[in-house]
Structure formats: structure tokens, C-alpha cells
Amino acid sequence: MGETEFAVIGGGLVGMAVAFGLQREGRRVTVFDEGDVAYRASRGNFGLVWVQGKGVGMPDYARWSRLSAALWPELAAELQEDTGLDLELRQPGGFDICLTEEGLAAAAARLDTLHTQLDGDYPFEVLGHNRLREMLPAIGPQVAGAIYGPEDGHTNPLVLLRALTTAFTRRGGAIENGAPVRDIEPQSSGFRIGSDPGWRAEKVVLCAGLGNAQLAPMVGMHAPVKPNRGQVLICERVKPFLPYPTAQIRQVGEGAVQIGDSKEDVGFDDGTTPQVMAAIAKRAVRIFPLLENLRVVRAWGALRVMSPDGHPIYDQSRRHPGAYLVTCHSGVTLAASHALRLAPWIAGGAPPVPYLETFGAERFAVSPPA
Amino acid sequence: MPNDSRFRRLPDPGRRAVAIVFDGRAVQAREGDSVAAAILAAGIAVTRRTPVSGAPRGPYCMMGVCFDCLVEIDGMPNCQACMVEVREGMRVRLMAGARGPGADLQGSKADD
């Protein structure tokens, strides 16, 4: 029977950011990673460090995302110093490209609402075709315009995961690989992790992505997360032509072009379909016609971890103190907030922001408690 | 670049000679050769330089898997030389680093 202070369930970007943050606070941490049978959203995502458009309906989520984007250079510098790995972090601002005037107007209206809800503290610009072409000369004639978010950026998500894992273990953290956790049992003090004899942990942090839905009730919490599939295409490496990330297409550090931003509700099927691949490729060519002749070298599907309103859930169990829940669909963007702000709170510190309770799962209660 | 190839052709008098050009140099191939086979038989070892470090690479797996034999063929960048058959007068060039995103094609779409 193993013994640890903090058991972090899930070795993806959320779990590793929290685990790294806890280890950084001098805690004793063991990460339990299911293995490669897991859905692995952290290996399949798009790599954006993205602010714009997040928080419509929950302005605190916009605040939290902006905080993380602002903390990202600190996280990247620290991980780079710890590990020598270049996370390819670039935050030059980013574009959400719209192919129709209606789409552009709707996106602008959403951000206007957010701008008002945040008392005017929310930077963005609406660019028509001509102004956009000055910044992105490669756009095609069918592009109506774009929203520019000056705080947006991107990184290499695979290097991020490797850097978090490396920094965590170098600081003394332990990772149990191939260690799926199907049971968590609260005990008079602490928790038993896994079936008998299992591990003993003083505290447990659920960072298991879609697996949180099953695990949370075992420790008196609620994690109504469901999968939403995105398909991704990778084109061959080309010379730099796209100096900014966009919500639909980005050029990665070594030159390959990544195309994504499809959304499908297909349960736990993380495969690809010719229809969706063709649709996102076609849209990419309308946005940047020079992509027409590029070869696609890889494609995959991956499952977003979506709560009913799309926003993160951060919670602690009232019935079983010492159990925490951290789940979101933006493990890249929020990695800095998770490592540098949320983990110190889980380690026993004060809430990092006054609005932390906004992210509790109570907001999904069907009827208010009597 | 050595002129003497380590590869030896099997005697095969039935196959017609096909002339192609690699980086301005005439290469005698045989009908049915892949571009990679013709290049190796001519003693050419380096067919591309990598986009990231510029390191030299040449044909390796000869079966479409390793992508180390990328060349430009008749204006089309990043062609797998091992998967394309030689054609009379074909112009092959060393693939130097990353291709352009599209402008370098000059409308000369190859038909591989």
C-alpha cells in the first residue's frame, strides 16, 4: 500500500499543472495516470493560449482566462529554466476569422456584451477585410474580417505536457503510470485510492477529464462533464506565412500547419470522418487560399471535456473535506492559473481570486437547495 | 557527392533508358525506376535538407513511410521520391528545407 499527501487523479495537462503547482509549494504529490487507453485530450488539442470569446455568460471566466494568459510567460520561463525545453510560447494576439459579415457581426456583438459586463476592461478589435489583410496578407477574398484579441497566443502543447511532467518529477513528484483509478473511498481521515489495498492519501484532487463524471460522486461532488469531439489536420511543414494564431488555423513552431475548430457531439468516439476533415480543410483554403496545395500528413480526433455551460468546474467536497475537483476544456490556456494560482489554494492557501466560488458545480443544480 | 554508387543494377535488358535531371545533372534511369532508386543508382546520397536543422537526408525506407526522400519534382515540392516513377525529361531538385506555403508552385501543378 502506497502512501502520499496529495493524490492527483489524471496525468494530463490539468493534472500535471496542478501537481507541478503543489510540488512547487513543497507538498508530497503522487499523480495517477490511467495510461494510453485514456482519451488523452492533452495529446490531441490545438495548443491555443486563448482569451477572446471566453466568458460570455460568465464574466469571471473571462477574468480567469485573462489572468492565466498574463501568467503564462512566467510559467513558460520557469518550466524552461527547470527543464531546458522550449515551449514555443508566442502571444502576439490572435484572430477569430469570420467568412461572413453576419458571423463577424455576431462575434462582435458577443464581445461587446462581455466588454460591458467587465466594465470596459476587455480589449478586442473588429477588423474588416482590408484592415485584416494588412496584418494577414494571406487571407482570401471570401474572408469578411476577424476579431483581434491582443492577449491571445499559442504554444506547443506536447512540449508543455513533457515540461510539466519533467519539472514535477525533478522536484520530487511521483507518477504512477498505467494506474487507472476506478474507486476512491473516503475514510475517517484521508482517502483510499483504488481498490483494496490501494493507496492512502491525505487529500485527493480529481483532474481526470471525462473520468471525473464517475469519480466525483465517490467523494461527494458533482462533475457533469461530457465529450465534444474536435478533428484536427496537420499539413506538411512550410516556410513561415502566418505570424499569428487564429481560432481555426495556426502554424506551429517548426512550420507545420494545424487546422481544427470542428465541434461534434458523438459520445466517446474519438475517431475522424472524411466529411468533417473535408469541411475544415475547405474552410481553411477559403481563409488562406495558399493552403490549397499543401499535403495533409496526419489527422486525429480528440474529445473536449465540456461542462453544461462550457466553463471550468473548481470545487471542494463539503461532505469529504480534502477532496477537490479541477476540470475544464482549456487545459493549455489555464495551465498557468492552475499551476501558479489554483494549486497554492489546494495546498491550503487563500482563494487566489475573490470569484473562485463562481466555478463551483452548484451552478448546475436542477433546483435550488431547500 | 561520390560518383560511384554503392548500388548495382541487376542485368535487365528489357527496360528502356529514361533520362531525368537532378539539380541540373543528367541522370540515366530505367523505365519503372522510382525517382529514389534512380538517384541512388546514380550515386547521389543527399536529396533534401531538413526544415528544422538543415541536416542532410537521403532515401531510406524506399516504401513511402519515412519521408526522408522528399524532393521537388517538376516544380512540386515535398514529393516522396520513392513513390514516384521516373518520366522522360523529369526535373528533380534537392528539397532545401521547408517549402513555401504555395507561391513557389508557379502554377506548375505536378500530377503525382
Side-chain angles (χ1 to χ4, degrees):
Chain A
M1 185 193 220
E3 192 274 327
T4 186
E5 183 183 4
F6 279 90
V8 173
I9 315 300
L13 286 173
V14 172
M16 289 316 306
V18 168
F20 168 71
L22 288 170
Q23 197 70 33
R24 207 169 158 268
E25 294 289 308
R27 299 314 171 122
R28 223 151 37 80
V29 186
T30 304
V31 171
F32 294 82
D33 182 58
E34 183 176 10
D36 284 331
V37 294
Y39 286 107
R40 296 294 199 215
S42 298
R43 274 84 162 168
N45 72 83
F46 202 66
L48 296 177
V49 177
W50 207 249
V51 170
Q52 67 165 294
K54 287 177 178 167
V56 176
M58 191 198 265
D60 286 332
Y61 179 35
R63 293 188 176 95
W64 183 242
S65 296
R66 291 183 71 193
L67 172 66
S68 197
L71 289 169
W72 243 100
E74 184 185 333
L75 176 69
E78 193 173 325
L79 288 175
Q80 189 153 343
E81 184 166 334
D82 276 12
T83 66
L85 295 167
D86 175 9
L87 272 64
E88 296 170 16
L89 175 67
R90 309 277 183 276
Q91 294 176 292
F95 295 91
D96 183 10
I97 294 180
C98 301
L99 284 164
T100 65
E101 297 294 342
E102 299 73 41
L104 183 61
R110 282 196 298 275
L111 296 194
D112 271 332
T113 306
L114 205 44
H115 187 260
T116 306
Q117 288 171 340
L118 291 164
D119 303 320
D121 181 19
Y122 190 75
F124 72 97
E125 276 182 74
V126 183
L127 304 178
H129 180 91
N130 291 337
R131 282 191 60 208
L132 178 60
R133 204 175 49 200
E134 287 168 18
M135 294 178 83
L136 292 180
I139 59 166
Q142 296 183 44
V143 172
I147 310 282
Y148 174 68
E151 297 169 334
D152 295 326
H154 58 157
T155 185
N156 183 325
L158 298 176
V159 178
L160 168 62
L161 183 58
R162 183 174 161 211
L164 284 168
T165 305
T166 305
F168 170 71
T169 49
R170 282 204 189 149
R171 285 168 186 257
I175 301 179
E176 290 288 309
N177 290 117
V181 173
R182 311 259 180 253
D183 302 288
I184 304 174
E185 190 183 295
Q187 302 192 311
S188 54
S189 163
F191 300 85
R192 195 193 70 207
I193 310 297
S195 47
D196 201 37
W199 278 63
R200 224 199 79 76
E202 290 171 36
K203 296 181 177 177
V204 61
V205 192
L206 305 184
C207 303
L210 293 164
N212 285 330
Q214 274 80 48
L215 294 174
M218 299 175 191
V219 286
M221 291 190 288
H222 181 44
V225 287
K226 287 191 173 158
N228 176 270
R229 182 169 72 182
Q231 297 189 32
V232 168
L233 306 178
I234 302 290
C235 298
E236 59 190 326
R237 288 173 180 158
V238 294
K239 293 191 174 89
F241 77 99
L242 185 54
Y244 300 88
T246 77
Q248 299 82 13
I249 301 158
R250 72 184 191 101
Q251 188 169 22
V252 309
E254 291 181 343
V257 181
Q258 186 167 14
I259 299 170
D261 197 33
S262 69
K263 294 180 178 71
E264 297 170 276
D265 286 316
V266 288
F268 287 88
D269 177 354
D270 62 355
T272 54
T273 62
Q275 292 81 2
V276 171
M277 289 194 286
I280 63 177
K282 197 169 172 182
R283 185 181 58 180
V285 170
R286 286 173 71 197
I287 294 173
F288 297 120
L290 53 68
L291 297 179
E292 187 181 4
N293 292 303
L294 289 199
R295 293 174 186 79
V296 171
V297 294
R298 280 190 296 287
W300 65 78
L303 301 178
R304 298 182 184 89
V305 181
M306 296 304 283
S307 66
D309 58 12
H311 307 144
I313 306 173
Y314 305 132
D315 231 334
Q316 54 181 321
S317 177
R318 287 185 193 158
R319 209 182 315 154
H320 303 292
Y324 295 82
L325 169 65
V326 180
T327 192
C328 70
H329 93 276
S330 297
V332 176
T333 300
L334 297 176
S337 282
H338 290 164
L340 306 179
R341 292 292 182 272
L342 199 68
W345 168 69
I346 292 169
V353 288
Y355 51 82
L356 189 66
E357 285 189 4
T358 315
F359 296 112
E362 220 165 50
R363 69 185 192 270
F364 304 119
V366 177
S367 55
Chain B
M1 209 176 278
N3 293 320
D4 185 26
S5 173
R6 289 167 295 160
F7 294 91
R8 298 280 175 265
R9 284 186 178 280
L10 296 171
D12 187 5
R15 290 197 298 150
R16 187 166 67 74
V18 175
I20 67 170
V21 177
F22 181 83
D23 271 352
R25 167 183 167 188
V27 169
Q28 284 305 318
R30 295 273 174 184
E31 188 177 29
D33 280 357
S34 69
V35 174
I39 287 172
L40 287 174
I44 297 165
V46 176
T47 53
R48 75 173 180 119
R49 295 193 178 274
T50 62
V52 178
S53 68
R57 292 284 190 275
Y60 178 63
C61 78
M62 301 298 283
M63 60 182 194
V65 173
C66 78
F67 286 77
D68 258 335
C69 66
L70 298 178
V71 291
E72 183 186 301
I73 297 179
D74 292 336
M76 183 65 153
N78 280 355
C79 295
Q80 288 176 276
C82 70
M83 303 303 286
V84 179
E85 258 188 48
V86 292
R87 282 188 311 271
E88 185 66 33
M90 182 181 259
R91 305 190 76 82
V92 182
R93 291 176 59 196
L94 178 131
M95 192 69 225
R99 62 173 289 184
D104 56 342
L105 286 180
Q106 310 286 350
S108 66
K109 254 187 205 177
D111 52 357
D112 60 325

